[in-house]
Amino acid sequence: MKMIIKLLLTAVAVVILANVLSGIQVDGYVTAIIVAVVLALLNLLVKPLLVILTLPVTILTLGLFLLVINAVVVLIVDFLVQGFSADSFWWALIFSVLLTILQSIFNALITTD
């Protein structure tokens, strides 16, 4: 149940960011839910592989290259999900940073001790 709530909150964050950022477009709420699911799957399957492959660069940049990996994952979601688009790499980077911040806020709100 908690995973479904997190996916729905991520979808809400995607809709909020699409309305705030002019370089990100989402067709509707169903598309936002699909984006959240695909993003979760890519973060589970593809992102660890990318992190391992780029480990020397990540160490060299003191972890800042992870932002680039997040942006690449958003661009992969853009490629896979019809109805979601990021206009450029920079919009994907801004979107991924703001999405991470919103997800942290939402997770702090739903976490119970």
XYZ file of all heavy atoms in Angstrom:
859
model
N 0.830 -1.197 0.000
C 0.000 0.000 0.000
C 0.872 1.256 0.000
O 0.546 2.224 -0.663
C -0.911 -0.032 1.229
C -1.936 1.036 1.231
S -3.054 0.787 -0.150
C -4.318 1.909 0.244
N 1.972 1.193 0.764
C 2.849 2.351 0.857
C 3.500 2.665 -0.486
O 3.707 3.825 -0.836
C 3.912 2.103 1.919
C 4.564 3.332 2.435
C 5.413 3.009 3.641
C 5.616 4.257 4.451
N 6.325 4.026 5.677
N 3.813 1.602 -1.265
C 4.422 1.799 -2.575
C 3.447 2.486 -3.541
O 3.848 3.353 -4.322
C 4.864 0.460 -3.154
C 5.672 0.574 -4.421
S 6.287 -1.024 -4.920
C 5.213 -1.339 -6.299
N 2.190 2.124 -3.469
C 1.184 2.760 -4.324
C 1.038 4.231 -3.966
O 0.930 5.086 -4.850
C -0.167 2.012 -4.208
C -0.021 0.609 -4.787
C -1.274 2.771 -4.925
C -1.217 -0.272 -4.554
N 1.058 4.545 -2.686
C 0.969 5.942 -2.249
C 2.180 6.727 -2.744
O 2.049 7.855 -3.229
C 0.822 6.022 -0.717
C -0.530 5.469 -0.293
C 0.999 7.450 -0.229
C -0.715 5.318 1.192
N 3.363 6.124 -2.672
C 4.566 6.805 -3.159
C 4.501 7.042 -4.661
O 4.908 8.098 -5.151
C 5.818 6.013 -2.791
C 6.182 6.113 -1.337
C 7.491 5.425 -1.054
C 7.861 5.566 0.412
N 9.166 5.012 0.720
N 3.989 6.064 -5.412
C 3.842 6.242 -6.853
C 2.845 7.348 -7.177
O 3.074 8.163 -8.075
C 3.406 4.933 -7.513
C 4.487 3.887 -7.711
C 3.888 2.591 -8.234
C 5.569 4.387 -8.635
N 1.751 7.392 -6.439
C 0.762 8.441 -6.677
C 1.310 9.819 -6.301
O 1.047 10.808 -6.997
C -0.522 8.140 -5.905
C -1.345 6.969 -6.428
C -2.533 6.699 -5.520
C -1.806 7.204 -7.853
N 2.081 9.880 -5.223
C 2.699 11.161 -4.854
C 3.753 11.585 -5.873
O 3.888 12.786 -6.168
C 3.302 11.069 -3.456
C 2.299 11.036 -2.314
C 3.007 10.818 -0.988
C 1.472 12.298 -2.277
N 4.462 10.631 -6.445
C 5.399 10.963 -7.513
C 4.655 11.472 -8.737
O 5.098 12.425 -9.395
C 6.257 9.733 -7.878
O 6.955 9.299 -6.719
C 7.240 10.057 -8.983
N 3.522 10.878 -9.040
C 2.709 11.351 -10.160
C 2.207 12.775 -9.911
O 2.194 13.609 -10.823
C 1.528 10.406 -10.397
N 1.816 13.063 -8.678
C 1.403 14.426 -8.325
C 2.574 15.390 -8.491
O 2.415 16.491 -9.029
C 0.846 14.465 -6.880
C 0.671 15.888 -6.389
C -0.463 13.709 -6.799
N 3.758 14.958 -8.078
C 4.944 15.801 -8.237
C 5.256 16.039 -9.713
O 5.643 17.147 -10.102
C 6.142 15.160 -7.539
N 5.065 15.035 -10.550
C 5.289 15.183 -11.994
C 4.324 16.207 -12.575
O 4.712 17.081 -13.362
C 5.159 13.822 -12.715
C 5.082 13.991 -14.223
C 6.311 12.911 -12.344
N 3.062 16.149 -12.167
C 2.067 17.113 -12.654
C 2.410 18.523 -12.177
O 2.336 19.490 -12.952
C 0.642 16.704 -12.207
C -0.360 17.800 -12.487
C 0.228 15.412 -12.890
N 2.794 18.651 -10.924
C 3.152 19.972 -10.382
C 4.338 20.550 -11.155
O 4.318 21.714 -11.576
C 3.474 19.874 -8.872
C 2.204 19.590 -8.080
C 4.140 21.150 -8.377
C 2.451 19.241 -6.621
N 5.358 19.745 -11.357
C 6.544 20.236 -12.053
C 6.270 20.527 -13.522
O 6.858 21.449 -14.091
C 7.688 19.237 -11.909
C 8.263 19.126 -10.510
C 9.303 18.017 -10.447
C 8.855 20.449 -10.069
N 5.374 19.767 -14.140
C 5.018 20.046 -15.535
C 4.288 21.380 -15.650
O 4.419 22.078 -16.665
C 4.156 18.920 -16.099
N 3.537 21.735 -14.617
C 2.853 23.029 -14.638
C 3.793 24.181 -14.317
O 3.574 25.302 -14.757
C 1.676 23.025 -13.657
C 0.533 22.178 -14.148
O 0.288 22.068 -15.336
N -0.169 21.539 -13.220
N 4.842 23.921 -13.552
C 5.780 24.965 -13.156
C 6.868 25.176 -14.214
O 7.211 26.311 -14.541
C 6.415 24.631 -11.783
C 7.537 25.582 -11.446
C 5.354 24.639 -10.698
N 7.399 24.084 -14.751
C 8.506 24.166 -15.708
C 7.968 24.186 -17.140
O 7.202 23.310 -17.530
C 9.449 22.967 -15.528
C 10.096 22.808 -14.160
C 10.867 21.508 -14.090
C 10.995 23.989 -13.870
N 8.399 25.159 -17.913
C 7.892 25.280 -19.282
C 8.510 24.255 -20.225
O 7.964 23.989 -21.293
C 8.152 26.690 -19.809
O 9.543 26.949 -19.853
N 9.625 23.656 -19.862
C 10.286 22.688 -20.724
C 9.834 21.256 -20.518
O 10.314 20.338 -21.182
N 8.896 21.031 -19.613
C 8.374 19.691 -19.318
C 6.877 19.691 -19.603
O 6.151 20.575 -19.148
C 8.615 19.311 -17.839
C 10.084 19.411 -17.462
C 8.051 17.931 -17.526
C 10.969 18.407 -18.157
N 6.416 18.707 -20.383
C 4.992 18.594 -20.699
C 4.484 17.201 -20.336
O 5.150 16.202 -20.605
C 4.727 18.840 -22.194
C 4.906 20.268 -22.651
C 6.347 20.603 -22.985
O 7.089 19.732 -23.404
N 6.742 21.838 -22.777
N 3.312 17.171 -19.734
C 2.617 15.926 -19.415
C 1.184 16.091 -19.901
O 0.537 17.095 -19.617
C 2.639 15.630 -17.897
C 1.866 14.368 -17.586
C 4.050 15.497 -17.395
N 0.691 15.085 -20.635
C -0.651 15.188 -21.210
C -1.770 15.123 -20.184
O -2.799 15.756 -20.349
C -0.859 14.105 -22.257
C -0.137 14.415 -23.557
O 0.312 15.571 -23.728
O -0.017 13.510 -24.388
N -1.609 14.342 -19.152
C -2.682 14.224 -18.168
C -2.241 13.435 -16.958
O -1.069 13.081 -16.795
N -3.219 13.168 -16.109
C -2.933 12.476 -14.859
C -2.556 11.010 -15.084
O -1.690 10.483 -14.396
C -4.125 12.564 -13.911
C -4.431 13.981 -13.495
C -5.575 14.638 -13.928
C -3.553 14.679 -12.681
C -5.839 15.945 -13.553
C -3.798 15.980 -12.294
C -4.948 16.612 -12.746
O -5.188 17.898 -12.378
N -3.189 10.372 -16.046
C -2.853 8.973 -16.334
C -1.424 8.886 -16.861
O -0.666 7.995 -16.469
C -3.855 8.373 -17.348
C -3.435 6.977 -17.764
C -5.258 8.360 -16.767
N -1.050 9.821 -17.710
C 0.324 9.862 -18.211
C 1.307 10.097 -17.066
O 2.387 9.501 -17.035
C 0.472 10.965 -19.277
O -0.485 10.752 -20.303
C 1.854 10.966 -19.875
N 0.942 10.940 -16.117
C 1.808 11.195 -14.968
C 1.994 9.927 -14.128
O 3.096 9.663 -13.637
C 1.239 12.321 -14.113
N 0.950 9.140 -13.980
C 1.064 7.876 -13.246
C 1.966 6.907 -13.998
O 2.818 6.236 -13.401
C -0.333 7.271 -12.990
C -1.112 8.159 -12.025
C -0.221 5.849 -12.452
C -2.563 7.778 -11.861
N 1.819 6.862 -15.322
C 2.677 6.003 -16.139
C 4.131 6.458 -16.029
O 5.046 5.639 -15.911
C 2.199 5.985 -17.603
C 0.831 5.307 -17.686
C 3.202 5.280 -18.501
C 0.151 5.446 -19.034
N 4.359 7.773 -16.048
C 5.712 8.318 -15.888
C 6.285 7.897 -14.537
O 7.447 7.499 -14.451
C 5.710 9.853 -16.044
C 7.010 10.460 -15.567
C 5.443 10.243 -17.480
N 5.484 7.969 -13.489
C 5.954 7.583 -12.155
C 6.328 6.103 -12.110
O 7.360 5.740 -11.524
C 4.879 7.896 -11.113
N 5.536 5.257 -12.734
C 5.825 3.819 -12.737
C 7.088 3.521 -13.548
O 7.971 2.782 -13.095
C 4.609 3.028 -13.282
C 4.973 1.574 -13.523
C 3.430 3.134 -12.332
N 7.187 4.112 -14.738
C 8.359 3.876 -15.578
C 9.613 4.431 -14.909
O 10.676 3.809 -14.948
C 8.146 4.488 -16.988
C 9.416 4.448 -17.802
C 7.026 3.761 -17.715
N 9.493 5.580 -14.287
C 10.622 6.173 -13.574
C 11.077 5.273 -12.421
O 12.284 5.071 -12.220
C 10.223 7.550 -13.059
C 11.313 8.504 -12.642
C 12.250 8.780 -13.790
C 10.698 9.803 -12.168
N 10.130 4.707 -11.704
C 10.469 3.794 -10.610
C 11.158 2.537 -11.145
O 12.152 2.072 -10.560
C 9.216 3.424 -9.826
N 10.666 1.996 -12.245
C 11.286 0.807 -12.827
C 12.693 1.095 -13.342
O 13.613 0.294 -13.158
C 10.415 0.254 -13.964
C 9.121 -0.429 -13.542
C 8.277 -0.790 -14.750
C 9.425 -1.665 -12.714
N 12.869 2.235 -13.999
C 14.198 2.589 -14.495
C 15.164 2.858 -13.348
O 16.342 2.498 -13.439
C 14.114 3.808 -15.419
C 13.508 3.557 -16.794
C 13.405 4.854 -17.567
C 14.301 2.539 -17.572
N 14.676 3.490 -12.284
C 15.532 3.713 -11.113
C 15.914 2.394 -10.441
O 16.964 2.300 -9.814
C 14.852 4.633 -10.113
C 14.950 6.079 -10.514
O 15.852 6.480 -11.225
N 14.007 6.870 -10.054
N 15.063 1.400 -10.588
C 15.339 0.094 -9.998
C 16.273 -0.748 -10.856
O 17.159 -1.426 -10.339
C 14.019 -0.661 -9.773
C 14.090 -2.021 -9.126
C 14.506 -1.876 -7.674
C 12.754 -2.718 -9.226
N 16.113 -0.679 -12.180
C 16.843 -1.571 -13.071
C 18.033 -0.921 -13.784
O 19.111 -1.489 -13.848
C 15.880 -2.147 -14.122
C 14.696 -2.940 -13.577
C 13.741 -3.309 -14.686
C 15.182 -4.170 -12.847
N 17.832 0.265 -14.344
C 18.841 0.877 -15.212
C 19.815 1.753 -14.435
O 21.021 1.735 -14.699
C 18.152 1.683 -16.340
C 19.156 2.428 -17.178
C 17.310 0.763 -17.199
N 19.313 2.513 -13.482
C 20.167 3.463 -12.773
C 21.340 2.792 -12.046
O 22.464 3.296 -12.132
C 19.333 4.303 -11.807
C 20.109 5.438 -11.199
C 19.230 6.305 -10.336
C 20.029 7.374 -9.647
N 19.210 8.169 -8.765
N 21.149 1.672 -11.356
C 22.319 1.039 -10.716
C 23.394 0.617 -11.726
O 24.585 0.748 -11.459
C 21.737 -0.178 -10.002
C 20.308 0.152 -9.800
C 19.914 1.000 -10.959
N 22.961 0.159 -12.892
C 23.912 -0.213 -13.932
C 24.682 1.011 -14.426
O 25.907 0.959 -14.597
C 23.172 -0.890 -15.086
C 24.027 -1.357 -16.254
C 24.968 -2.465 -15.798
C 23.152 -1.819 -17.388
N 23.988 2.114 -14.629
C 24.650 3.349 -15.055
C 25.616 3.863 -13.989
O 26.700 4.361 -14.311
C 23.613 4.421 -15.382
C 22.797 4.229 -16.654
C 21.732 5.308 -16.772
C 23.693 4.223 -17.865
N 25.227 3.742 -12.732
C 26.099 4.192 -11.643
C 27.379 3.361 -11.605
O 28.483 3.907 -11.453
C 25.355 4.138 -10.286
C 26.316 4.342 -9.134
C 24.252 5.175 -10.253
N 27.255 2.057 -11.784
C 28.433 1.192 -11.765
C 29.336 1.482 -12.964
O 30.560 1.555 -12.828
C 28.018 -0.290 -11.724
C 27.408 -0.622 -10.368
C 29.203 -1.210 -12.003
C 26.777 -1.978 -10.282
N 28.726 1.674 -14.143
C 29.530 1.929 -15.338
C 30.253 3.273 -15.288
O 31.311 3.434 -15.889
C 28.650 1.855 -16.587
C 28.146 0.463 -16.956
C 27.183 0.548 -18.136
C 29.296 -0.467 -17.277
N 29.680 4.228 -14.590
C 30.276 5.568 -14.540
C 30.912 5.871 -13.193
O 31.120 7.036 -12.859
C 29.200 6.632 -14.851
O 28.182 6.566 -13.853
C 28.614 6.449 -16.231
N 31.233 4.847 -12.452
C 31.785 5.040 -11.114
C 33.064 5.879 -11.092
O 33.187 6.770 -10.242
C 32.009 3.690 -10.434
C 32.316 3.731 -8.948
C 31.179 4.388 -8.183
C 32.555 2.331 -8.434
N 34.021 5.677 -12.007
C 35.213 6.535 -11.961
C 34.893 8.027 -12.171
O 35.447 8.882 -11.475
C 36.073 6.002 -13.108
C 35.626 4.607 -13.312
C 34.172 4.603 -12.982
N 34.001 8.318 -13.094
C 33.621 9.720 -13.332
C 32.869 10.274 -12.131
O 33.066 11.429 -11.741
C 32.771 9.838 -14.617
C 32.312 11.266 -14.842
C 33.530 9.325 -15.820
N 32.031 9.462 -11.531
C 31.280 9.894 -10.354
C 32.224 10.209 -9.195
O 32.046 11.209 -8.497
C 30.262 8.811 -9.946
O 29.413 8.533 -11.048
C 29.429 9.273 -8.775
N 33.221 9.376 -9.001
C 34.191 9.634 -7.936
C 34.997 10.888 -8.248
O 35.242 11.719 -7.371
C 35.104 8.409 -7.730
C 34.288 7.254 -7.158
C 36.276 8.735 -6.823
C 35.020 5.934 -7.115
N 35.376 11.035 -9.505
C 36.178 12.186 -9.912
C 35.430 13.504 -9.732
O 36.026 14.515 -9.364
C 36.599 12.025 -11.377
C 37.758 12.855 -11.866
C 39.020 12.471 -11.110
C 37.956 12.637 -13.353
N 34.128 13.478 -9.940
C 33.314 14.696 -9.790
C 32.676 14.807 -8.415
O 31.778 15.639 -8.214
C 32.210 14.740 -10.857
O 31.349 13.615 -10.689
C 32.790 14.781 -12.251
N 33.107 13.979 -7.490
C 32.603 13.968 -6.115
C 31.084 13.748 -6.044
O 30.378 14.322 -5.226
C 32.990 15.256 -5.395
C 34.485 15.543 -5.317
C 34.734 16.902 -4.693
C 35.216 14.451 -4.576
N 30.580 12.926 -6.932
C 29.173 12.562 -6.910
C 28.263 13.428 -7.744
O 27.076 13.114 -7.906
N 28.767 14.512 -8.304
C 27.906 15.391 -9.099
C 27.454 14.755 -10.408
O 26.444 15.160 -10.969
C 28.610 16.719 -9.378
C 28.771 17.635 -8.175
C 29.548 18.877 -8.557
C 27.425 18.002 -7.604
N 28.187 13.756 -10.871
C 27.779 13.079 -12.102
C 26.477 12.312 -11.916
O 25.804 11.991 -12.889
C 28.888 12.149 -12.602
C 28.712 11.714 -14.018
C 28.945 12.599 -15.053
C 28.292 10.428 -14.320
C 28.779 12.206 -16.367
C 28.119 10.028 -15.632
C 28.361 10.920 -16.652
N 26.096 12.033 -10.678
C 24.813 11.370 -10.417
C 23.645 12.231 -10.891
O 22.593 11.704 -11.284
C 24.670 11.041 -8.938
C 25.619 9.962 -8.419
C 25.502 9.841 -6.911
C 25.363 8.642 -9.091
N 23.822 13.552 -10.877
C 22.792 14.440 -11.424
C 22.615 14.203 -12.916
O 21.495 14.222 -13.433
C 23.149 15.905 -11.152
C 23.190 16.334 -9.690
C 23.735 17.752 -9.588
C 21.820 16.234 -9.067
N 23.720 13.989 -13.606
C 23.663 13.701 -15.039
C 22.965 12.368 -15.278
O 22.146 12.246 -16.200
C 25.086 13.704 -15.641
C 25.073 13.251 -17.088
C 25.719 15.075 -15.517
N 23.248 11.378 -14.448
C 22.591 10.074 -14.584
C 21.087 10.213 -14.371
O 20.292 9.624 -15.105
C 23.215 9.057 -13.608
C 24.649 8.754 -14.023
C 22.392 7.775 -13.550
C 25.408 7.889 -13.050
N 20.676 11.006 -13.380
C 19.244 11.246 -13.159
C 18.605 11.899 -14.374
O 17.491 11.542 -14.762
C 19.039 12.111 -11.918
C 19.277 11.354 -10.639
O 19.227 10.139 -10.616
N 19.545 12.082 -9.579
N 19.291 12.871 -14.974
C 18.758 13.533 -16.161
C 18.648 12.557 -17.327
O 17.671 12.599 -18.097
C 19.620 14.732 -16.537
N 19.615 11.678 -17.471
C 19.565 10.667 -18.535
C 18.385 9.728 -18.323
O 17.690 9.361 -19.284
C 20.905 9.896 -18.608
C 20.799 8.667 -19.486
C 22.006 10.815 -19.114
N 18.122 9.360 -17.079
C 16.970 8.499 -16.784
C 15.667 9.219 -17.161
O 14.756 8.622 -17.746
C 16.976 8.063 -15.301
C 15.671 7.399 -14.910
C 18.140 7.133 -15.033
N 15.580 10.521 -16.883
C 14.386 11.290 -17.272
C 14.259 11.339 -18.796
O 13.154 11.216 -19.340
C 14.427 12.712 -16.670
C 13.330 13.582 -17.247
C 14.299 12.644 -15.157
N 15.364 11.476 -19.499
C 15.313 11.475 -20.961
C 14.912 10.109 -21.511
O 14.233 10.027 -22.541
C 16.656 11.916 -21.537
C 17.001 13.383 -21.330
C 18.409 13.674 -21.822
C 15.998 14.293 -22.018
N 15.289 9.040 -20.829
C 14.831 7.707 -21.230
C 13.328 7.587 -21.028
O 12.614 7.030 -21.869
C 15.601 6.608 -20.466
C 17.071 6.610 -20.871
C 14.987 5.235 -20.704
C 17.946 5.709 -20.026
N 12.820 8.134 -19.925
C 11.365 8.147 -19.692
C 10.685 8.947 -20.794
O 9.634 8.549 -21.306
C 11.025 8.714 -18.296
C 9.537 8.919 -18.139
C 11.553 7.804 -17.217
N 11.283 10.075 -21.190
C 10.751 10.886 -22.287
C 10.649 10.056 -23.561
O 9.666 10.138 -24.295
C 11.657 12.100 -22.499
C 11.256 12.951 -23.697
O 10.108 12.863 -24.137
O 12.119 13.719 -24.181
N 11.651 9.225 -23.823
C 11.659 8.387 -25.012
C 10.607 7.272 -24.931
O 9.973 6.937 -25.934
C 13.051 7.782 -25.211
C 13.161 6.857 -26.382
C 13.209 7.352 -27.674
C 13.215 5.486 -26.185
C 13.311 6.498 -28.755
C 13.319 4.621 -27.255
C 13.366 5.127 -28.541
N 10.410 6.711 -23.749
C 9.527 5.552 -23.594
C 8.055 5.899 -23.444
O 7.197 5.138 -23.898
C 9.975 4.728 -22.378
C 11.328 4.030 -22.485
C 11.664 3.344 -21.170
C 11.326 3.033 -23.629
N 7.740 7.024 -22.806
C 6.347 7.345 -22.485
C 5.841 8.414 -23.444
O 6.356 9.532 -23.483
C 6.219 7.830 -21.028
C 4.789 8.221 -20.724
C 6.704 6.771 -20.067
N 4.830 8.038 -24.189
C 4.208 8.999 -25.085
C 3.276 9.886 -24.256
O 2.503 9.413 -23.442
C 3.413 8.277 -26.165
C 2.949 9.161 -27.273
C 2.339 8.344 -28.405
O 2.223 7.129 -28.311
N 1.942 9.022 -29.447
N 3.391 11.195 -24.448
C 2.602 12.121 -23.663
C 3.416 12.843 -22.608
O 2.926 13.739 -21.939
N 4.657 12.437 -22.458
C 5.592 13.101 -21.542
C 6.788 13.543 -22.358
O 7.331 12.775 -23.144
C 6.053 12.151 -20.431
C 7.136 12.720 -19.551
C 6.836 13.663 -18.594
C 8.458 12.315 -19.693
C 7.831 14.194 -17.785
C 9.459 12.832 -18.887
C 9.138 13.771 -17.934
N 7.187 14.798 -22.188
C 8.360 15.252 -22.930
C 9.162 16.255 -22.114
O 8.617 17.075 -21.386
C 7.953 15.872 -24.266
O 7.284 17.081 -24.064
N 10.462 16.121 -22.266
C 11.420 17.081 -21.720
C 12.108 17.701 -22.932
O 12.638 16.985 -23.779
C 12.425 16.393 -20.814
N 12.097 19.024 -23.016
C 12.587 19.699 -24.214
C 14.083 19.553 -24.430
O 14.551 19.544 -25.558
C 12.217 21.184 -24.178
C 10.727 21.408 -24.374
O 10.040 20.469 -24.828
O 10.254 22.519 -24.080
N 14.858 19.456 -23.357
C 16.307 19.353 -23.510
C 16.897 18.641 -22.293
O 16.201 18.338 -21.325
C 16.939 20.739 -23.659
O 16.815 21.468 -22.454
N 18.201 18.419 -22.377
C 18.909 17.805 -21.268
C 18.815 18.672 -20.021
O 18.652 18.170 -18.908
C 20.384 17.582 -21.655
C 21.231 17.175 -20.499
C 21.242 15.862 -20.064
C 22.017 18.098 -19.826
C 22.024 15.481 -18.987
C 22.799 17.728 -18.758
C 22.801 16.411 -18.338
N 18.914 19.998 -20.206
C 18.903 20.915 -19.064
C 17.558 20.919 -18.360
O 17.488 20.987 -17.135
C 19.319 22.317 -19.496
C 20.713 22.306 -20.018
C 21.103 22.443 -21.321
C 21.910 22.084 -19.261
N 22.465 22.334 -21.407
C 22.994 22.114 -20.167
C 22.177 21.868 -17.919
C 24.304 21.944 -19.768
C 23.488 21.694 -17.521
C 24.536 21.734 -18.435
N 16.470 20.836 -19.125
C 15.140 20.741 -18.506
C 15.007 19.419 -17.755
O 14.403 19.359 -16.680
C 14.037 20.892 -19.534
C 13.822 22.303 -19.951
C 14.038 22.830 -21.183
C 13.357 23.378 -19.138
N 13.745 24.169 -21.173
C 13.320 24.537 -19.937
C 12.973 23.484 -17.806
C 12.914 25.763 -19.451
C 12.570 24.715 -17.313
C 12.529 25.833 -18.136
N 15.554 18.348 -18.333
C 15.518 17.052 -17.653
C 16.319 17.101 -16.355
O 15.911 16.532 -15.334
C 16.062 15.960 -18.573
N 17.450 17.813 -16.367
C 18.274 17.951 -15.166
C 17.529 18.735 -14.086
O 17.470 18.300 -12.924
C 19.593 18.643 -15.513
C 20.578 18.827 -14.371
C 21.139 17.487 -13.938
C 21.686 19.760 -14.792
N 16.932 19.860 -14.458
C 16.167 20.666 -13.497
C 14.982 19.858 -12.966
O 14.702 19.854 -11.765
C 15.700 21.982 -14.150
C 16.911 22.865 -14.465
C 14.711 22.721 -13.265
C 16.589 24.045 -15.366
N 14.289 19.159 -13.872
C 13.146 18.336 -13.480
C 13.565 17.261 -12.484
O 12.886 17.040 -11.477
C 12.518 17.702 -14.732
C 11.392 16.753 -14.445
C 10.125 17.233 -14.155
C 11.587 15.388 -14.466
C 9.080 16.359 -13.891
C 10.564 14.507 -14.205
C 9.299 15.003 -13.919
N 14.689 16.586 -12.755
C 15.108 15.500 -11.866
C 15.499 16.020 -10.486
O 15.188 15.386 -9.475
C 16.262 14.708 -12.484
O 17.424 15.489 -12.563
N 16.157 17.188 -10.442
C 16.533 17.754 -9.142
C 15.287 18.152 -8.351
O 15.146 17.825 -7.164
C 17.485 18.955 -9.334
C 17.659 19.719 -8.031
C 18.819 18.495 -9.872
N 14.365 18.856 -9.009
C 13.144 19.294 -8.319
C 12.247 18.117 -7.946
O 11.602 18.138 -6.889
C 12.390 20.307 -9.176
C 13.087 21.646 -9.373
C 12.267 22.540 -10.305
C 13.325 22.336 -8.043
N 12.220 17.086 -8.797
C 11.430 15.894 -8.475
C 11.990 15.199 -7.239
O 11.230 14.763 -6.369
C 11.413 14.929 -9.659
C 10.565 13.680 -9.488
C 9.086 14.037 -9.334
C 10.771 12.735 -10.643
N 13.296 15.132 -7.134
C 13.924 14.535 -5.952
C 13.585 15.322 -4.694
O 13.277 14.735 -3.650
C 15.451 14.465 -6.143
O 15.726 13.714 -7.324
C 16.122 13.826 -4.949
N 13.607 16.637 -4.797
C 13.263 17.481 -3.645
C 11.807 17.277 -3.247
O 11.498 17.099 -2.059
C 13.557 18.963 -3.954
C 15.062 19.183 -4.077
C 12.958 19.867 -2.890
C 15.444 20.536 -4.628
N 10.896 17.276 -4.233
C 9.475 17.072 -3.917
C 9.219 15.683 -3.339
O 8.430 15.531 -2.404
C 8.623 17.280 -5.171
C 8.245 18.709 -5.499
C 7.444 18.763 -6.795
C 7.448 19.342 -4.382
N 9.889 14.671 -3.878
C 9.717 13.324 -3.338
C 10.211 13.242 -1.898
O 9.591 12.564 -1.070
C 10.457 12.307 -4.204
C 9.767 11.985 -5.498
C 10.580 11.033 -6.355
O 11.800 11.043 -6.323
N 9.887 10.216 -7.130
N 11.288 13.919 -1.599
C 11.789 13.934 -0.216
C 10.794 14.593 0.726
O 10.568 14.116 1.841
C 13.122 14.664 -0.150
O 14.087 13.999 -0.903
N 10.209 15.697 0.279
C 9.205 16.386 1.098
C 7.992 15.497 1.312
O 7.496 15.356 2.438
C 8.811 17.728 0.451
C 9.993 18.701 0.505
C 7.590 18.332 1.130
C 9.801 19.953 -0.327
N 7.502 14.877 0.227
C 6.334 14.004 0.339
C 6.621 12.798 1.238
O 5.780 12.401 2.030
C 5.867 13.531 -1.034
C 5.205 14.601 -1.868
C 5.137 14.480 -3.241
C 4.647 15.725 -1.288
C 4.535 15.449 -4.016
C 4.038 16.711 -2.045
C 3.986 16.569 -3.412
N 7.818 12.215 1.100
C 8.158 11.061 1.945
C 8.277 11.455 3.403
O 7.911 10.675 4.286
C 9.461 10.418 1.469
C 9.281 9.604 0.207
O 8.192 9.140 -0.090
N 10.345 9.458 -0.550
N 8.748 12.658 3.670
C 8.817 13.134 5.059
C 7.414 13.335 5.632
O 7.195 13.117 6.826
C 9.606 14.423 5.135
N 6.484 13.736 4.779
C 5.110 13.967 5.256
C 4.370 12.665 5.540
O 3.538 12.631 6.445
C 4.334 14.791 4.234
C 4.774 16.242 4.053
C 3.992 16.910 2.930
C 4.597 17.023 5.355
N 4.642 11.612 4.775
C 3.892 10.369 4.978
C 4.581 9.398 5.917
O 3.989 8.395 6.303
C 3.582 9.657 3.640
C 4.867 9.168 2.963
C 2.777 10.528 2.731
C 4.618 8.228 1.810
N 5.826 9.670 6.276
C 6.553 8.776 7.174
C 6.012 8.920 8.595
O 5.898 10.020 9.109
C 8.050 9.080 7.153
O 8.526 8.964 5.819
C 8.808 8.115 8.031
N 5.711 7.780 9.181
C 5.242 7.778 10.567
C 6.224 6.984 11.414
O 6.791 5.987 10.990
C 3.846 7.167 10.688
O 3.893 5.832 10.154
C 2.823 7.986 9.946
N 6.411 7.422 12.619
C 7.333 6.735 13.531
C 6.605 5.709 14.364
O 5.534 5.818 14.778
C 8.026 7.743 14.456
C 8.980 8.627 13.660
O 9.491 8.152 12.638
O 9.196 9.775 14.087
